[in-house]
Amino acid sequence: MDTIFLSHLPVLAAQGSGGGLVATLGLYAVIGLIFWFLVISPARRQRKELQDLVQALQKGDEVITNGGLYGTVISVQEHTVVLKIADNANVKIAKSAVAGPQQNPAPGSSK
């Protein structure tokens, strides 16, 4: 039995061998489904979870920003969040800059 590589399937289909067009379209559909379940679906789920987290932010939550700042939420406005990043150091950031909940204690914290 000859070995058929995936890259040769369109050429074989054009030559009229085997199931031809139906087999090629079926193969592309299977590849598309695999791509959907391995890449697109998990990315959509992560984006939805982050969006829910950002909408539910409240005072006292510990978060990390896209820039790598660890902080505690002091106040939440419609589009911004004020974080306490150190004693007497507060920063105002966009809600979209919140990367997620703080997983590990911030460096230098007493936790």
Side-chain angles (χ1 to χ4, degrees):
M1 180 177 214
D2 292 332
T3 303
I4 299 175
F5 295 100
L6 294 179
S7 61
H8 293 102
L9 284 179
V11 174
L12 293 174
Q15 293 174 352
S17 65
L21 182 62
V22 174
T24 302
L25 291 178
L27 178 66
Y28 285 136
V30 168
I31 291 171
L33 285 172
I34 291 170
F35 186 76
W36 174 264
F37 285 110
L38 293 178
V39 177
I40 296 172
S41 181
R44 290 178 73 190
R45 186 174 54 248
Q46 274 185 324
R47 187 173 47 242
K48 176 73 170 134
E49 288 172 0
L50 179 60
Q51 186 179 29
D52 292 343
L53 171 98
V54 169
Q55 293 301 320
L57 280 176
Q58 53 188 325
K59 186 176 180 177
D61 289 346
E62 293 182 341
V63 296
I64 185 169
T65 68
N66 290 330
L69 292 174
Y70 289 86
T72 304
V73 175
I74 294 178
S75 68
V76 179
Q77 287 84 36
E78 185 176 351
H79 299 289
T80 60
V81 176
V82 177
L83 296 178
K84 177 180 179 181
I85 57 172
D87 293 334
N88 299 324
N90 298 337
V91 292
K92 185 176 186 178
I93 62 167
K95 276 187 173 181
S96 61
V98 174
Q102 186 174 319
Q103 298 295 331
N104 300 323
S109 70
S110 59
K111 290 186 178 180

